[in-house]
Amino acid sequence: MAALVVRLSCLGKRWVLACIDGGSRHGRGAAIGLTSRRKRGQSSVAQQPLIAVQKSRKGEREWAAVVGLEIHAQISSNSKLFSGSQVHFAAPPNSLVSFFDASLPGTLPVLNRRCVEAAVMTGLALNCRINKKSLFDRKHYFYADLPAGYQITQQRLPIAVNGCLAYSVSVGKKPSQVSTRTVRIKQIQLEQDSGKSLHDEPRSQTLIDLNRAGVGLLEVVLEPDMSCGEEAASAVRELQLILQALGTSQANMAEGQLRVDANISVHHPGEPLGVRTEVKNLNSARFLAKAIDFEIKRQIHELENGRKILNETRSFDDKLGCTMPMRDKEGKQDYRFMPEPNLPPLLLYDTASLPPGADPQQVINIDWIRERLPELPGKTREKLIQQYGMLPEHSFTLLNEVGLLEFFQNVIKETRAEPKKVTSWVLNIFLGFLKQQNLAVNESPVTPSALAELLNLLDRKAISSSAARQVFEELWRSKGKTPSQIVSEKKLELMQDQEALERVCHTVMEGHPQVVMDMKRGNPRAINKLIGLVRKATLSRADPTVIKEILERKLSS
Amino acid sequence: MLGRTLREVSTALKQGHITPTELCQKCLSLIKKTKFLNAYITVSEEVALKQAEESEKRYKKGHSLGDLDGIPVAVKDNFSTSSIETTCASNMLKGYVPPYNATVVQKLLDKGAVLMGKTNLDEFAMGSGSTDGVFGPVKNPWSYSKQYREKRKQKAHGENEDSNWLITGGSSGGSAAAVAAFTCFAALGSDTGGSTRNPAAHCGVVGFKPSYGLVSRHGLIPLVNSMDVPGILTRCVDDAAIVLGMLAGHDPKDSTTIQDPVKPFTLPTFADVNKLCIGIPKEYLAPELSSEVRSFWSKAANLFESEGAKVIEVSLPHTSYSIVCYHVLCTSEVASNMARFDGLEYGHRCDINVSTEAMYAATRREGFNDVVRGRILSGNFFLLKENYENYFIKAQKVRRLIANDFVNVFNSGVDVLLTPTTLSEAVPYLEFIKEDNRTRSAQDDIFTQAVNMAGENLTSAIPEPHAKEPEQLHVTSFSYLPMTNELAGIIETFVVTKRPYWT
């Protein structure tokens, strides 16, 4: 179940389900710069029953929606942010809890270097300014899964600020009309995760699991530069890919490693922003898009009916597809922020400011981390497009599916087939089969080598396209067989014997004089019928182009 | 044997004049005899005897762990001790047995010290009398001295002697009383605004507050994280230096400890007072200062001057703001630190289970006394969004000014400051409780808390050779570690006489 949600969230061409213009006035604007704030009127969500932003029914004034996101990404690290406890998903309850995590009195936080490095890497990848000095604060609230009564976070001076994230959405009717947009990143802060409360309603008990308490989080705050659910979902998906490429977070939404809260408001263009609501705990990109679009529509509906929007926290009910006010009072709390006195300021260095003779174990050098950043998804896509002449949308699909790019590259390595052919097979047939059976790439019964071999057979015209498809189906069903084995077992190889094929053609023409007559009278469809008949007679083992050649030659002679 | 200093008894152990077990048993029997002082909350007799036995084995094999091996020590009951109840003198932590040792406790044990027990305090170390703990007040051993009894007789005929006992000061009153009553040779206290130095002053022992960051706070149940330091109480300055040597240094479990290696702390046998410049802060000449303390203060200053030291008046201009500033910062951190006591993971939990919130409220009402609740309330008020700038931020700025006062004075060539520890000598319990905890803390911490806010200072209190009851002076130096002890040692050499006030 867990894996299912994520896979649905990146199903097919999800990235293209983005905003398109209702009109064409500011549709395919090129990359949106940091400072340019698009007009938000008139956009609507493609292929969504819920129309997000629209002309007022009274036909007078447009509405614009403004969406900002707060994203919590669990840092991928061996141990927690301030304690030595291990970090594992789905470990037995309360098995990964140190004295500090349980807030035993007298325990003190000790900052995990790996988490700091992950924050710096993420900040650099998101074009942020890394603060060489950042501070930790306590944020107070009473909750059963927050043992200390406060969370250690970075409210005053976070580790990274002022970044930006470029993401792509489709802007036209065709998926190839892609527009790159940019959302500004306000800040990235390091903070502790809370534990989990499990409410046992019948027994009116609450059970607490502190395994997650104290795990390092990166809170990434995206400025309200988005205007609909699909923009938000695309931005989140891009962030997810970046985090995964960096290895700073597994960013699996279904496992709670990536959690998104959305701030949403609507207003008339040119007027001040409206009152915003916050939709919390969105655990898949699909629900994120749905929740935002529902909320935009709801707010417009409320305002048009003379009601007011309350500054409140809402939750998304994925079964009903709507947002509901959350009853907890958390949103109105005064968190009584205070500097965390047990942690000195977090100091980072670059090569220029590195104190001479500093112990490399004791200091973090931003430049050193920058030089070792891995390739980011944007660059990978660019390379795919350049190297293989791939369409941009195909490069997106390849990256969006976990493991698909690697699969594709392994096929390319082992086959002589054209990259375009490989792309087409991987994205249409292979991915189609996976989707149909709801499998992940690494669960595929067909290996890259098998597909490569199959494409080689096709490439040297040993089999026809339709036979290739048959072989693929067979590969999918019976693990362990090679394409060549299947081809010979099923006698799928193309007839290489020209004379034999000519004889079959001759027999077919003789058997269907009426069709031959039609053809001679100039009916272009008639030849196709003949080709079909010949293929049937050869059990689909003949190449249709060769059949056509023979037939045409015979007819004209 | 019990009247000796730590160094003396250590020598006796090494020479075999007494065994660790014998020493331990002597202390245990004296602890029983002085039970009415209420210095100990928990006496860890079994643990102590076992540790003494192990120490004895080491001595027999000639593998002594050093000066502390076999030495009976006591620890304030706000330091976590593995498998020994740690209560902070609060209902909230009654029955709480930590699964780990505070770093300072572990360091003492690693050096072979014998843990006699956990000493009494004000609840969560909030107080200056050791009168506000759930286990009752600590009585000052001096109350039962011949000298004090005679003085009482002269002053007030017919008064009930038993009700006229003196307070120890606080909040580490149990540790001070334990050392003063010879039931151990050294004790750990904690010092946030004067909690080690104040009771040391009132009980006639040495109280040493190390610089912030010199000694690990890991395992010390916090009052104010940014000011707390483990304190050392001993019967002479040399002993305090020995214990400090064992405790000081970086602790990977406390990120606020300094990383630089620590040099050993040794006292000179002879010091040249000529080279010293001693500052007398004029602001500390408060009108509330008792005539006895004032006269002893000037006596000490004159003594230094007559021995060739340069004694000058200096100014710490922001002194008058410091107690208010301390109050804001202290209560704010208290409000935060006490948030963890919700009855869920450990400690007291009420019977109410209507809702989680109701459970929190009742647990905290039952678990904390009025003083703790009052400070939590004030602290939360100061931290409210609407008040933060006006109170917390302002207090932080004033704290900086106060710290700068010390920096300026020490940069001007002053080596040490000589000040009183408290306004007056120890008062009788009945008099002390006429004022509430807050008023008392404000008065009693007046000379001590400023250095906690300045952080980097070293402070030591030295007993006065008083005929009646102890009074102390206070020596503060700045980022020059041996200085405080050295000077304290000089004062001790010059003025301390041994006082057989306890038999």
Side-chain angles (χ1 to χ4, degrees):
Chain A
M1 177 59 209
L4 176 72
V5 180
V6 146
R7 250 173 264 130
L8 283 175
S9 74
C10 30
L11 200 135
K13 295 172 181 167
R14 92 146 344 274
W15 67 274
V16 299
L17 293 179
C19 292
I20 50 168
D21 242 325
S24 59
R25 280 187 297 151
H26 21 75
R28 48 208 67 157
I32 303 301
L34 276 183
T35 49
S36 105
R37 282 184 67 97
R38 276 159 299 136
K39 289 185 186 172
R40 304 196 183 280
Q42 290 197 344
S43 58
S44 66
V45 177
Q47 302 164 35
Q48 290 280 322
L50 290 170
I51 301 307
V53 181
Q54 58 193 355
K55 284 203 170 181
S56 153
R57 259 178 287 133
K58 286 152 195 151
E60 287 151 6
R61 303 175 73 191
E62 296 167 359
W63 287 102
V66 175
V67 179
L69 299 175
E70 278 169 30
I71 300 164
H72 289 92
Q74 228 174 51
I75 298 171
S76 171
S77 59
N78 293 329
S79 58
K80 295 184 180 180
L81 181 56
F82 296 121
S83 79
S85 310
Q86 299 292 296
V87 178
H88 287 301
F89 181 70
N94 294 311
S95 62
L96 308 172
V97 185
S98 70
F99 300 152
F100 175 79
D101 305 328
S103 79
L104 291 201
T107 53
L108 298 169
V110 179
L111 185 57
N112 180 343
R113 181 193 173 95
R114 155 70 190 161
C115 293
V116 177
E117 286 170 342
V120 172
M121 279 175 87
T122 308
L124 291 171
L126 296 175
N127 313 296
C128 289
R129 180 163 65 80
I130 307 295
N131 279 326
K132 292 205 186 123
K133 176 183 170 185
S134 60
L135 302 170
F136 290 96
D137 304 284
R138 291 180 180 181
K139 176 182 177 177
H140 299 88
Y141 59 93
F142 281 105
Y143 206 76
D145 55 28
L146 187 76
Y150 56 82
Q151 175 198 36
I152 303 178
T153 178
Q154 294 195 298
Q155 189 230 3
R156 289 167 298 164
L157 193 52
I159 190 162
V161 292
N162 297 339
C164 62
L165 167 68
Y167 62 97
S168 291
V169 288
S170 168
V171 290
K173 291 209 169 67
K174 281 192 272 175
S176 55
Q177 287 172 313
V178 174
S179 162
T180 302
R181 295 193 175 155
T182 304
V183 53
R184 291 167 301 156
I185 287 161
K186 185 175 178 228
Q187 63 186 52
I188 300 174
Q189 62 201 51
L190 275 166
E191 61 184 35
Q192 293 173 298
D193 208 341
S194 64
K196 279 181 184 164
S197 297
L198 304 157
H199 302 288
D200 183 348
E201 299 291 352
R203 290 188 209 179
S204 61
Q205 280 185 336
T206 299
L207 303 168
I208 311 293
D209 179 5
L210 294 180
N211 280 353
R212 205 181 66 177
V215 170
L217 291 179
L218 296 171
E219 179 176 329
V220 183
V221 182
L222 303 192
E223 296 277 16
D225 296 342
M226 292 152 290
S227 59
C228 67
E230 291 305 332
E231 275 191 356
S234 303
V236 167
R237 181 67 189 129
E238 188 65 17
L239 177 65
Q240 199 177 19
L241 289 173
I242 290 172
L243 294 171
Q244 287 164 347
L246 294 171
T248 54
S249 172
Q250 288 172 292
N252 181 339
M253 289 186 88
E255 288 185 7
Q257 290 144 350
L258 197 73
R259 303 190 283 272
V260 183
D261 303 336
N263 289 304
I264 302 145
S265 70
V266 298
H267 67 288
H268 293 299
E271 289 180 10
L273 296 182
V275 175
R276 65 178 199 197
T277 60
E278 186 181 17
V279 183
K280 272 201 172 289
N281 298 325
L282 296 159
N283 60 4
S284 86
R286 195 166 61 108
F287 293 156
L288 168 68
K290 275 193 170 179
I292 290 171
D293 291 337
F294 174 87
E295 186 58 19
I296 292 169
K297 201 188 170 198
R298 185 191 70 85
Q299 290 188 9
I300 293 171
H301 184 75
E302 292 291 289
L303 292 170
E304 288 192 339
N305 287 285
R307 290 187 287 267
K308 279 192 172 143
I309 302 300
L310 299 174
N311 180 3
E312 63 182 354
T313 305
R314 300 176 70 89
S315 64
F316 180 65
D317 185 316
D318 55 61
K319 289 185 189 79
L320 299 174
C322 64
T323 66
M324 312 271 216
M326 275 169 90
R327 237 172 295 237
D328 79 274
K329 290 158 259 161
E330 215 187 276
K332 289 178 190 85
Q333 274 194 21
D334 188 322
Y335 291 118
R336 291 157 288 131
F337 283 100
M338 188 192 86
E340 167 55 66
N342 293 320
L343 290 165
L346 170 56
L347 299 179
L348 304 172
Y349 300 90
D350 53 25
T351 304
S353 68
L354 202 65
D359 178 358
Q361 287 302 307
Q362 295 294 325
V363 294
I364 289 177
N365 183 341
I366 302 165
D367 292 332
W368 195 88
I369 293 175
R370 184 184 284 115
E371 286 157 21
R372 284 159 184 79
L373 280 183
E375 185 178 282
L376 296 176
K379 181 79 190 166
T380 310
R381 287 190 207 103
E382 206 177 286
K383 279 164 87 174
L384 286 172
I385 293 165
Q386 280 177 2
Q387 208 171 334
Y388 303 121
M390 199 179 280
L391 290 172
E393 66 263 32
H394 290 160
S395 72
F396 274 93
T397 314
L398 267 186
L399 263 72
N400 274 355
E401 198 67 28
V402 178
L404 192 60
L405 175 66
E406 199 190 346
F407 187 95
F408 169 83
Q409 284 167 333
N410 286 336
V411 177
I412 284 271
K413 255 184 253 165
E414 295 184 37
T415 185
R416 288 187 301 266
E418 285 288 303
K420 275 188 182 165
K421 197 91 186 162
V422 178
T423 308
S424 158
W425 268 79
V426 168
L427 292 186
N428 296 325
I429 295 164
F430 177 71
L431 192 56
F433 270 67
L434 286 177
K435 293 296 166 198
Q436 207 179 14
Q437 304 201 11
N438 208 11
L439 293 176
V441 173
N442 63 5
E443 294 166 321
S444 154
V446 176
T447 62
S449 312
L451 182 58
E453 190 189 332
L454 175 60
L455 293 178
N456 280 346
L457 292 173
L458 188 63
D459 185 58
R460 59 178 159 84
K461 297 196 190 314
I463 52 174
S464 68
S465 296
S466 60
R469 192 159 170 134
Q470 245 179 294
V471 174
F472 186 85
E473 279 166 28
E474 194 57 31
L475 276 174
W476 197 273
R477 268 198 298 273
S478 46
K479 242 181 170 177
K481 284 188 185 166
T482 66
S484 311
Q485 276 172 334
I486 295 168
V487 166
S488 66
E489 272 175 29
K490 301 258 167 188
K491 301 196 180 2
L492 292 171
E493 60 275 84
L494 281 180
M495 287 176 71
Q496 304 294 340
D497 186 342
Q498 185 81 9
E499 278 176 31
L501 188 55
E502 293 211 7
R503 278 198 298 277
V504 176
C505 287
H506 187 76
T507 319
V508 167
M509 284 170 77
E510 281 193 335
H512 298 84
Q514 191 57 47
V515 184
V516 177
M517 284 300 288
D518 285 353
M519 218 175 92
K520 283 187 173 159
R521 287 198 198 111
N523 183 345
R525 260 181 289 172
I527 192 162
N528 287 344
K529 186 160 187 190
L530 281 179
I531 294 170
L533 290 166
V534 173
R535 290 194 67 203
K536 205 174 167 189
T538 60
L539 303 167
S540 299
R541 286 164 59 206
D543 187 341
T545 49
V546 182
I547 301 173
K548 198 178 176 194
E549 261 174 49
I550 298 171
L551 288 174
E552 279 170 348
R553 181 154 36 81
K554 286 193 181 289
L555 282 165
S556 58
S557 63
Chain B
M1 187 62 72
L2 295 188
R4 296 187 187 186
T5 68
L6 193 158
R7 194 181 283 290
E8 285 163 359
V9 84
S10 178
T11 310
L13 283 168
K14 283 172 198 156
Q15 291 171 348
H17 298 318
I18 189 166
T19 69
T21 309
E22 284 164 4
L23 189 61
C24 177
Q25 272 161 343
K26 276 180 196 286
C27 285
L28 284 170
S29 102
L30 193 51
I31 289 171
K32 279 173 198 152
K33 211 171 142 195
T34 59
K35 197 167 186 296
F36 61 92
L37 293 176
N38 205 14
Y40 288 83
I41 291 174
T42 305
V43 179
S44 45
E45 183 168 347
E46 271 181 45
V47 175
L49 286 170
K50 200 164 166 252
Q51 287 166 343
E53 200 183 307
E54 280 161 19
S55 169
E56 197 155 330
K57 282 184 203 156
R58 288 192 293 270
Y59 274 109
K60 275 185 186 152
K61 286 183 193 159
H63 295 154
S64 150
L65 294 170
D67 288 345
L68 275 187
D69 204 346
I71 303 288
V73 298
V75 171
K76 190 178 180 180
D77 207 22
N78 60 351
F79 287 93
S80 302
T81 42
S82 178
S83 56
I84 300 173
E85 191 180 351
T86 299
T87 67
C88 287
S90 174
N91 274 326
M92 187 56 93
L93 285 180
K94 255 190 197 169
Y96 166 64
V97 179
Y100 74 104
N101 276 326
T103 298
V104 283
V105 172
Q106 192 60 51
K107 282 188 170 183
L108 289 178
L109 297 180
D110 289 346
K111 294 288 178 186
V114 175
L115 179 60
M116 307 310 294
K118 304 295 291 292
T119 58
N120 206 346
L121 65 153
D122 291 298
E123 183 162 333
F124 282 102
M126 294 183 208
S128 59
S130 299
T131 52
D132 282 329
V134 74
F135 299 103
V138 187
K139 296 177 180 177
N140 193 325
W142 282 86
S143 316
Y144 306 93
S145 68
K146 204 171 145 198
Q147 297 96 317
Y148 180 67
R149 279 196 300 244
E150 276 167 10
K151 183 191 162 200
R152 296 294 324 168
K153 270 181 205 157
Q154 289 163 11
K155 272 192 181 172
H157 291 284
E159 255 185 54
N160 181 2
E161 267 188 36
D162 283 350
S163 64
N164 269 313
W165 50 269
L166 302 167
I167 59 145
T168 54
S171 62
S172 311
S175 289
V179 172
F182 302 129
T183 62
C184 62
F185 290 84
L188 293 182
S190 62
D191 195 314
T192 309
S195 278
T196 292
R197 292 157 290 155
N198 174 299
H202 287 328
C203 293
V205 297
V206 173
F208 183 79
K209 170 209 167 292
S211 294
Y212 188 83
L214 183 65
V215 177
S216 168
R217 292 180 295 114
H218 172 253
L220 166 61
I221 298 178
L223 175 58
V224 183
N225 298 290
S226 64
M227 299 184 207
D228 291 341
V229 285
I232 298 165
L233 295 113
T234 54
R235 287 196 292 271
C236 75
V237 174
D238 190 22
D239 290 354
I242 293 172
V243 178
L244 179 64
M246 306 292 182
L247 301 183
H250 177 65
D251 179 7
K253 290 174 183 154
D254 177 357
S255 308
T256 62
T257 49
I258 48 159
Q259 308 249 356
D260 312 336
V262 177
K263 286 178 211 149
F265 312 103
T266 47
L267 292 184
T269 48
F270 177 79
D272 193 359
V273 180
N274 282 315
K275 288 177 188 162
L276 277 181
C277 178
I278 295 168
I280 307 288
K282 62 177 181 188
E283 289 81 4
Y284 281 50
L285 205 69
E288 301 89 350
L289 198 63
S290 78
S291 55
E292 282 113 330
V293 175
R294 188 191 305 234
S295 98
F296 179 58
W297 189 13
S298 49
K299 222 160 81 186
N302 290 338
L303 186 64
F304 276 111
E305 206 159 29
S306 66
E307 292 295 321
K310 192 174 155 201
V311 179
I312 58 164
E313 186 184 86
V314 296
S315 175
L316 299 166
H318 298 94
T319 300
S320 60
Y321 307 110
S322 107
I323 195 78
V324 181
C325 168
Y326 173 76
H327 181 69
V328 173
L329 296 175
C330 169
T331 56
S332 299
E333 282 197 41
V334 163
S336 176
N337 287 330
M338 296 294 140
R340 71 188 55 215
F341 298 103
D342 56 11
L344 283 181
E345 283 83 13
Y346 42 79
H348 176 71
R349 189 194 290 190
C350 72
D351 295 328
I352 293 165
N353 56 8
V354 188
S355 71
T356 311
E357 286 75 18
M359 189 199 74
Y360 286 158
T363 295
R364 290 164 69 80
R365 187 178 60 244
E366 293 165 13
F368 293 138
N369 69 4
D370 289 350
V371 176
V372 177
R373 288 212 305 276
R375 290 202 193 182
I376 292 172
L377 198 63
S378 325
N380 278 320
F381 174 82
F382 298 136
L383 290 177
L384 284 178
K385 209 173 179 183
E386 71 215 67
N387 297 331
Y388 187 75
E389 282 284 325
N390 272 338
Y391 291 92
F392 191 84
I393 297 286
K394 250 184 210 167
Q396 276 195 318
K397 286 178 181 166
V398 175
R399 180 182 187 169
R400 172 62 57 200
L401 293 175
I402 290 163
N404 286 345
D405 279 354
F406 285 94
V407 172
N408 294 338
V409 162
F410 289 120
N411 282 346
S412 73
V414 169
D415 297 307
V416 291
L417 295 175
L418 183 68
T419 71
T421 307
T422 55
L423 286 168
S424 70
E425 61 212 37
V427 296
Y429 176 69
L430 291 177
E431 197 179 310
F432 185 79
I433 57 170
K434 282 178 190 162
E435 301 275 9
D436 67 9
N437 178 295
R438 204 179 122 202
T439 315
R440 277 299 180 192
S441 298
Q443 291 167 352
D444 297 338
D445 293 345
I446 192 119
F447 297 135
T448 46
Q449 41 70 37
V451 289
N452 290 80
M453 293 201 285
E456 287 177 79
N457 299 277
L458 291 155
T459 309
S460 181
I462 312 99
E464 181 200 3
H466 218 270
K468 303 173 292 179
E469 56 269 0
E471 191 46 66
Q472 291 197 335
L473 284 184
H474 197 193
V475 182
T476 304
S477 81
F478 181 66
S479 58
Y480 178 44
L481 195 64
M483 188 63 85
T484 323
N485 276 341
E486 187 175 315
L487 194 68
I490 294 162
I491 297 178
E492 192 178 50
T493 315
F494 285 140
V495 298
V496 170
T497 54
K498 294 279 180 261
R499 308 167 302 278
Y501 59 88
W502 189 260
T503 48

